[in-house]
């Protein structure tokens, strides 16, 4: 049985929007130093090596394609290219050399529950805010990995919406990454 891992870059105040600093309102991702960025990349690569599949929304899939992951070189890019990809979308998604993606259409909750039954190992979710909130709401996510950046930005899309019930979690890991980042890992406790 698969285990859904939500892996997010997040600010101290819970903002996950715009992790590349493309929007003027949230230039936080690019403010870390080169050493911290290298340490971050090591953690991300290790996570990809441990993954059995990627699950993402259509916009996040497009985000990876738009940023050249299909043509990047190196072990991390090779690993991401090799992983099976499952994309929640109501339409077909482009391969563009990044590896074939299986589209999950229709009832997202049923499709993801089925995916968890079919995939053995970690199913990692990057970005995909709308999908992540659905996974959390329906107790489909098993673990949160929050790469925490030392910034408070005040506005932007938050990982956790203001409305909703209490979702208990157990801290299973906390470690510094480089000198500025902290990786917080939580096991989600389902009723």
């Amino acid at each position: 049985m698969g285990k859904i891992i939500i892996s997010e870059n997040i600010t101290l105040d819970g903002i996950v929007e715009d992790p590349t600093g493309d929007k003027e309102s949230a230039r936080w991702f690019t403010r870390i130093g080169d050493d911290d960025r290298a340490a971050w990349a090591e953690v991300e690569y290790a996570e990809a090596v441990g993954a059995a599949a990627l699950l993402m929304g259509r916009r996040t899939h497009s985000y990876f394609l738009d940023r050249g992951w299909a043509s990047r070189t190196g072990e991390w890019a090779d690993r991401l290219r090799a992983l099976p990809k499952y994309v929640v979308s109501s339409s077909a998604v482009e391969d563009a050399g990044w590896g074939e993606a299986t589209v999950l259409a229709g009832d997202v909750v049923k499709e993801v529950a089925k995916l968890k039954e079919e995939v053995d190992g970690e199913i990692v979710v990057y970005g995909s805010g709308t999908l992540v909130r659905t996974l959390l709401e329906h107790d489909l996510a098993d673990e949160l990995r929050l790469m925490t950046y030392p910034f408070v930005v005040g506005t932007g899309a938050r990982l956790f919406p203001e409305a909703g019930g209490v979702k208990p979690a157990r801290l299973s890991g906390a470690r510094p990454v480089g000198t500025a980042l902290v990786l917080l890992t939580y096991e989600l406790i389902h009723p």
Side-chain angles (χ1 to χ4, degrees), residues 140-161:
L140 288 168
D142 300 293
E143 184 175 292
L144 292 171
R145 292 181 187 159
L146 306 175
M147 185 66 73
T148 309
Y149 286 69
F151 305 109
V152 174
V153 296
T155 61
R158 296 185 183 283
L159 179 59
F160 309 106

Side-chain angles (χ1 to χ4, degrees), residues 4 8 28-29 37 60 74-75 84 111 113 123 129 170 181 191:
I4 294 188
E8 297 285 347
W28 52 269
F29 184 78
R37 194 170 288 103
T60 298
E75 292 177 319
E111 291 294 321
I123 305 165
R170 178 181 304 116
L181 308 174

Side-chain angles (χ1 to χ4, degrees), residues 49-79:
V49 167
L54 297 178
L55 172 64
M56 61 192 79
R58 182 195 48 78
R59 286 186 303 219
T60 298
H61 184 265
S62 294
Y63 170 92
F64 276 94
L65 290 176
D66 292 347
R67 277 146 185 88
W69 279 94
S71 60
R72 287 188 190 192
T73 58
E75 292 177 319
W76 185 16
D78 292 344
R79 178 62 183 155

